[in-house]
Amino acid sequence: MNEQELQKRGELLRSEHRDLDAAIVALTEAGSTDQLQIARLKKRKLRLKDQISMIEDALLPDIIA
């Protein structure tokens, strides 16, 4: 993937991450008793965060101090 594609993919993942966060908050505030669903959403959110981190690492060069 080139830099533009990585940036686009990163933005899509960040958007999905925000959407999942909103869904988790909404379910929690609504008093949802489906803890399995909430746990799955949280796991998905963590996977997205890892993917976002990998993309950001690929876009930002390492600086040797």
Side-chain angles (χ1 to χ4, degrees):
M1 285 186 156
N2 64 30
E3 187 174 333
Q4 238 179 359
E5 290 171 337
L6 284 174
Q7 288 176 345
K8 206 178 277 191
R9 176 78 176 142
E11 187 53 44
L12 287 172
L13 292 174
R14 282 188 285 278
S15 175
E16 187 175 348
H17 188 270
R18 285 189 301 269
D19 291 346
L20 281 173
D21 192 40
I24 291 167
V25 169
L27 284 171
T28 304
E29 288 178 353
S32 176
T33 57
D34 191 356
Q35 294 301 313
L36 183 59
Q37 181 183 15
I38 293 171
R40 285 181 179 154
L41 291 174
K42 287 181 178 181
K43 281 186 179 183
R44 174 72 179 142
K45 188 177 161 191
L46 285 173
R47 282 193 302 268
L48 287 173
K49 185 176 179 181
D50 289 342
Q51 290 176 352
I52 292 166
S53 293
M54 287 190 309
I55 288 173
E56 288 174 349
D57 288 346
L59 289 173
L60 298 174
D62 289 337
I63 299 174
I64 300 173

